[in-house]
């Protein structure tokens, strides 16, 4: 039987790594501008952590978590709960009143694998704990937009307010009244959600359900004065920062802990998987998990989807440079000299390739081209005799003689 990766689990091959590194490097650069520090978290957590934070009525907890039932532990389906657990456990709120933290790593959900959605997926998770200013909400969204812009990815920002424990109960009653009249037309999942968490009905992707709730009352129409004022400042601050956005009254996010500001970055280029990132405010979650009554806000971005978007962009068709020089040694003596020379060039900081199997010049030139080398240094019997190799520019095909020393070769390549 041919060995293959598990369904929904994917190898990230060397040809794709450059885009992954580009995404991570860009994110780290932008996050540093906003004073964020990295935290690294374990993959396994107690199952109760996610049941308490995400919500027992969510699809994630009910259907999608990879749990070791006999051990009471779960492979993390998202990072916010784990990060807050670490925040509480290590007393980070004592060290600094406001913590700006991020983490990058794999998450696990037992979903139906499809384009942009895997069972092991990688996520950038960004959290700010200990601040409740609505201006911070706008700043976080502006930071997410900046990451997208620097990557050259076109997305739109959708924003909503989910209210708070003071105004949400009345909205819930209004929504229940609306849904009761349409319950028979809803899918089985939504019928169950009506009982446990009716707001999740608004998030259903079933076309029939979406049609049924098209005229549903919105949370924005039922906000208390405090939440209404908070959301007004968020929108004004987005305008001040020059961040384009649209209001989406049906956005509720997939997790129970969100309150007030919620947002998503969406694209039209990935089919049904339109969201490439999203998050919101979760002011009660730290206290809910046993910590102080500190507010919080954050977002997550799916790295697989960002990489897919980069792959779909119109790429520059010019030849991509992966190596500074490929050394082609012809014959045993030339190969022996080349072997030591390659190591010296690498020590000098150059990216250098070499064939170790004694192939022909034609074969080595093909290797160099496939490897994306800017130059090829050819060393044969004549070159050994003269002490000078032939340095060929792979783009212009121009050639020049160069002394067979690491210093001379480095000087030619730098010039």
């Amino acid at each position: 039987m041919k060995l293959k990766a598990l369904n929904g689990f994917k190898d990230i091959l060397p040809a794709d790594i450059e885009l992954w590194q580009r995404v991570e490097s860009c994110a780290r650069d932008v996050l540093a501008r906003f004073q964020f520090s990295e935290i690294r978290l374990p993959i396994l957590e107690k199952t109760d952590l996610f049941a308490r934070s995400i919500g027992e009525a969510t699809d994630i907890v009910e259907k999608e978590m990879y749990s070791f039932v006999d051990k009471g532990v779960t492979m993390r389906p998202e990072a916010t709960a784990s990060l807050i657990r670490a925040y509480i456990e290590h007393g980070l709120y004592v060290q600094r009143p406001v913590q700006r933290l991020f983490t990058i790593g794999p998450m696990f959900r037992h979903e139906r694998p499809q384009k942009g959605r895997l069972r092991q997926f990688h996520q950038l998770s960004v959290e700010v704990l200990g601040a409740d200013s609505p201006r911070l909400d706008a700043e976080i969204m502006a930071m997410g937009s900046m990451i997208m812009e620097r990557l050259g990815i076109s997305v739109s920002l959708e924003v909503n307010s989910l209210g708070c424990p003071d105004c949400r109960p009345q909205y819930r009653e209004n929504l229940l009244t609306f849904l009761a009249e349409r319950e028979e037309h809803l899918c089985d999942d939504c019928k169950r959600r009506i009982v446990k968490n009716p707001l999740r009905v608004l998030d259903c992707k079933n076309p029939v359900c979406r049609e049924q709730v098209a005229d549903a009352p919105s949370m924005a129409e039922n906000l208390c004065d405090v939440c209404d004022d908070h959301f007004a400042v968020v929108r004004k601050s987005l305008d001040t920062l020059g961040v384009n956005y649209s209001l989406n009254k049906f956005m509720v996010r997939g997790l129970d802990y969100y309150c007030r500001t919620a947002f998503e970055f969406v694209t039209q280029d990935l089919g049904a998987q339109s969201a490439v990132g999203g998050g919101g405010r979760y002011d009660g979650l730290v206290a809910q998990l046993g910590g102080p009554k500190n507010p919080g806000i954050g977002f997550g971005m799916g790295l697989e989807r960002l990489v897919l978007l980069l792959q779909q962009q119109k790429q520059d068709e010019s030849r991509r440079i992966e190596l500074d020089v490929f050394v082609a040694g012809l014959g045993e003596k030339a190969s022996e000299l080349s072997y030591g020379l390659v190591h010296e060039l690498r020590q000098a900081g150059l990216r250098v390739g070499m064939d170790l199997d004694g192939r022909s010049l034609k074969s080595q030139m093909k290797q160099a081209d496939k490897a994306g080398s800017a130059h090829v240094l050819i060393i044969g019997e004549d070159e050994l005799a003269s002490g000078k190799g032939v340095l060929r520019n792979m783009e212009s095909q121009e050639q020049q003689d160069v002394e067979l020393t690491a210093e001379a070769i480095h000087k030619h390549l730098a010039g």
Side-chain angles (χ1 to χ4, degrees):
M1 183 180 68
K2 184 178 180 181
L3 293 175
K4 298 177 63 177
L6 293 170
N7 189 27
F9 293 74
K10 185 178 179 181
D11 299 310
I12 303 172
L13 301 178
D16 300 321
I17 286 295
E18 181 185 7
L19 289 179
W20 282 78
Q21 291 175 337
R22 178 181 166 191
V23 170
E24 293 176 18
S25 176
C26 175
R28 291 178 188 278
D29 176 66
V30 173
L31 287 163
R33 303 182 192 187
F34 288 78
Q35 298 179 285
F36 278 82
S37 300
E38 183 175 7
I39 183 171
R40 300 191 180 186
L41 305 165
I43 287 174
L44 284 176
E45 297 274 8
K46 292 182 179 179
T47 302
D48 184 56
L49 171 66
F50 302 113
R52 289 172 60 185
S53 62
I54 297 173
E56 294 185 358
T58 61
D59 287 346
I60 295 175
V61 173
E62 288 188 338
K63 304 176 182 180
E64 298 171 359
M65 294 202 309
Y66 284 97
S67 298
F68 298 85
V69 179
D70 58 330
K71 303 296 184 182
V73 297
T74 292
M75 297 172 73
R76 62 186 185 195
E78 59 98 41
T80 299
S82 294
L83 190 146
I84 291 179
R85 188 268 309 150
Y87 171 78
I88 296 169
E89 180 178 344
H90 300 287
L92 299 183
Y93 51 89
V94 177
Q95 301 174 26
R96 190 183 304 164
V98 178
Q99 288 281 346
R100 292 173 173 246
L101 303 168
F102 77 92
T103 189
I104 300 175
M107 313 295 160
F108 304 86
R109 296 184 191 177
H110 192 272
E111 301 182 284
R112 182 172 65 86
Q114 51 192 294
K115 183 178 181 181
R117 184 184 290 272
L118 298 172
R119 290 174 176 174
Q120 175 180 308
F121 60 99
H122 297 76
Q123 193 172 72
L124 163 68
S125 299
V126 177
E127 318 291 346
V128 180
L129 301 167
D132 60 4
S133 169
R135 288 184 174 179
L136 174 62
D137 301 17
E139 182 182 291
I140 290 297
M141 287 183 267
M143 184 177 70
S145 296
M146 188 179 295
I147 292 174
M148 299 295 187
E149 289 170 6
R150 290 214 51 213
L151 286 171
I153 291 174
S154 177
V155 296
S156 57
L157 173 64
E158 297 183 353
V159 184
N160 193 22
S161 176
L162 304 180
C164 70
D166 291 334
C167 54
R168 198 180 292 178
Q170 182 57 56
Y171 171 63
R172 186 177 186 276
E173 292 303 315
N174 295 342
L175 182 59
L176 281 171
T177 299
F178 176 87
L179 294 175
E181 299 173 358
R182 296 158 177 81
E183 183 173 358
E184 63 180 299
H185 302 293
L186 300 177
C187 69
D188 291 340
D189 282 341
C190 282
K191 290 176 181 177
R192 175 174 48 80
R193 289 167 180 156
I194 288 177
V195 177
K196 294 187 175 182
N197 188 347
L199 270 70
R200 292 294 318 287
V201 177
L202 301 178
D203 195 40
C204 183
K205 301 301 186 289
N206 185 309
V208 175
C209 295
R210 294 186 75 85
E211 182 179 347
Q212 290 297 319
V213 302
D215 297 323
S218 71
M219 186 68 237
E221 299 165 348
N222 291 265
L223 296 176
C224 63
D225 290 342
V226 175
C227 287
D228 194 41
D229 291 343
H230 184 279
F231 197 41
V233 176
V234 170
R235 299 196 304 274
K236 181 179 179 182
S237 300
L238 286 171
D239 292 336
T240 299
L241 298 178
V243 178
N244 295 322
Y245 68 93
S246 61
L247 299 178
N248 180 356
K249 72 174 187 177
F250 291 123
M251 185 200 306
V252 298
R253 301 294 296 151
L255 310 175
D256 283 357
Y257 52 63
Y258 286 116
C259 65
R260 291 190 176 168
T261 307
F263 58 92
E264 285 187 346
F265 296 99
V266 299
T267 179
Q268 304 301 315
D269 298 328
L270 290 178
Q273 306 308 316
S274 60
V276 297
R281 185 162 281 283
Y282 45 82
D283 290 344
L285 184 56
V286 177
Q288 183 180 323
L289 294 179
K293 294 182 179 180
N294 287 358
I297 185 172
F299 68 79
M301 286 184 177
L303 270 60
E304 277 83 358
R305 297 185 186 182
L306 295 178
V307 169
L308 274 175
L309 288 170
L310 289 177
Q311 289 172 336
Q312 290 178 194
Q313 286 179 349
K314 291 183 178 179
Q315 299 294 322
D316 183 356
E317 296 299 328
S318 62
R319 190 168 173 274
R320 190 172 63 189
I321 302 302
E322 298 283 359
L323 294 176
D324 296 304
V325 62
F326 185 99
V327 179
L330 308 176
E332 182 59 33
K333 290 184 178 180
S335 293
E336 186 175 345
L337 183 142
S338 300
Y339 185 66
L341 185 59
V342 164
H343 188 65
E344 291 182 53
L345 291 171
R346 287 170 175 165
Q347 286 181 315
L350 297 179
R351 299 169 297 170
V352 188
M354 177 185 177
D355 171 65
L356 298 175
D357 296 319
R359 294 183 174 89
S360 67
L361 177 59
K362 182 178 180 181
S363 176
Q364 292 192 55
M365 293 300 292
K366 287 182 179 179
Q367 286 185 62
D369 186 58
K370 191 171 183 180
S373 186
H375 300 84
V376 173
L377 177 63
I378 303 170
I379 306 174
E381 292 184 4
D382 293 342
E383 288 73 31
L384 285 175
S386 67
K388 292 185 177 182
V390 177
L391 187 65
R392 179 181 296 182
N393 185 305
M394 293 292 282
E395 183 175 356
S396 67
Q397 296 298 304
E398 293 179 356
Q399 297 185 168
Q400 57 183 315
D401 293 337
V402 57
E403 292 183 12
L404 292 176
T405 65
E407 183 180 358
I409 295 166
H410 193 288
K411 183 177 180 180
H412 272 77
L413 294 176

